[in-house]
């Protein structure tokens, strides 16, 4: 599943790159959810479903537990101001829900072009007892999923460094 798919490029590319998998995308903005759903229909992608809403409200009601293979979050939490800290998604509440939904060994992939934010995300994951960082320190050189998000593509075009984290559900 992908949280906050925005314009949906990753969802669409991943659905084509991994036709044997089933993708569930969540997006709070109605406009993007609608457009991406229409696009998936137009392109005949039977393995994608789109859900419009706030994952903080949706996830506690999602069942069953322990079935999700991968959770992707591309460039979440873009807000800079301190007073917007409450809006941030990546934290212990969301990680609790992801730990409940992911299957043992399931992957959590996070990426950001804001170094300080990526370090914070990695620290949250490292502190959570249900996740273990992949490799030596949890950082990944590249995105191994054969699909890129819109913001990722833009960052690559602009030569902006991207900080990627991979963790597994224990
Ligand atoms: C900075 S954008 C990144 C979009 C896309 N992932 C990309 O990399 O191009 C963050 C996205 O997360 C969505 N989002 C933020 N909070 C959310 C929430 N609570 N539930 C679902 N989507 C959310 C936003 O609407 C936005 O589309």
């Amino acid at each position: 599943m992908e949280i906050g798919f925005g314009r949906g490029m990753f969802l669409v590319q991943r659905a084509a790159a991994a036709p044997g998998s089933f993708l569930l995308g969540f997006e709070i903005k109605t406009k993007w959810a609608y457009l991406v759903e229409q696009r998936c229909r137009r392109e005949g992608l039977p393995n994608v479903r789109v859900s419009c809403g706030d994952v903080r409200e949706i996830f506690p009601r999602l069942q069953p537990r322990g079935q999700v293979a991968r959770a992707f979050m591309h460039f979440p939490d873009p807000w800079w101001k301190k007073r917007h800290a409450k809006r941030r998604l990546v934290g212990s509440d969301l990680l609790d829900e992801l730990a409940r939904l992911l299957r043992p060994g399931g992957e959590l992939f996070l990426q950001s072009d804001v170094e300080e934010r990526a370090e914070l995300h990695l620290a949250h994951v490292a502190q959570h007892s249900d996740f273990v960082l992949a490799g030596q320190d949890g950082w990944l050189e590249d995105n191994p999923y054969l699909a890129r998000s819109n913001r990722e593509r833009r960052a690559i075009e602009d030569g902006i460094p991207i900080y990627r984290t991979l963790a597994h559900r224990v």
Side-chain angles (χ1 to χ4, degrees):
M1 59 192 200
E2 182 182 356
I3 299 159
F5 55 75
R7 291 165 196 255
M9 193 168 91
F10 179 88
L11 207 56
V12 169
Q13 289 185 354
R14 180 71 188 159
S21 63
F22 180 80
L23 281 106
L24 193 49
F26 298 92
E27 172 54 52
I28 200 168
K29 288 187 187 144
T30 315
K31 180 181 163 191
W32 295 126
Y34 174 77
L35 290 175
V36 172
E37 213 228 338
Q38 294 294 308
R39 183 171 172 195
C40 290
R41 280 190 197 198
R42 257 197 332 270
E43 297 192 13
L45 297 169
N47 56 336
V48 187
R49 292 288 182 282
V50 163
S51 173
C52 179
D54 185 336
V55 293
R56 290 169 296 190
E57 288 167 13
I58 296 171
F59 278 6
R61 294 183 279 127
L62 266 195
Q63 298 287 349
R65 61 170 57 227
Q67 295 295 313
V68 175
R70 296 188 175 100
F72 302 106
M73 290 186 83
H74 308 294
F75 302 81
D77 299 338
W79 305 284
W80 290 97
K81 294 179 183 158
K82 257 198 181 152
R83 66 189 161 91
H84 291 152
K86 270 195 284 179
R87 288 194 199 170
R88 287 188 197 147
L89 270 185
V90 184
S92 60
D93 289 351
L94 186 80
L95 292 175
D96 286 347
E97 289 302 330
L98 289 174
R100 188 178 64 79
L101 294 167
L102 280 164
R103 68 187 183 200
E107 296 171 10
L108 171 59
F109 180 74
L110 275 157
Q111 56 180 346
S112 175
D113 54 359
V114 183
E115 185 175 10
E116 162 264 333
R117 196 61 41 82
E119 281 171 357
L120 201 66
H121 292 161
L122 185 128
H124 279 305
V125 178
Q127 278 161 20
H128 198 288
S129 57
D130 291 331
F131 288 98
V132 59
L133 295 174
Q136 277 202 327
D137 52 10
W139 296 113
L140 272 195
E141 238 345 92
D142 209 346
N143 166 353
Y145 296 106
L146 307 172
R148 298 215 185 272
S149 81
N150 297 81
R151 189 142 172 177
E152 181 181 12
R153 182 179 64 181
R154 170 66 73 86
I156 291 168
E157 283 171 2
D158 293 348
I160 295 171
I162 300 175
Y163 306 90
R164 301 180 170 98
T165 293
L166 179 64
H168 291 102
R169 171 73 167 95
V170 293

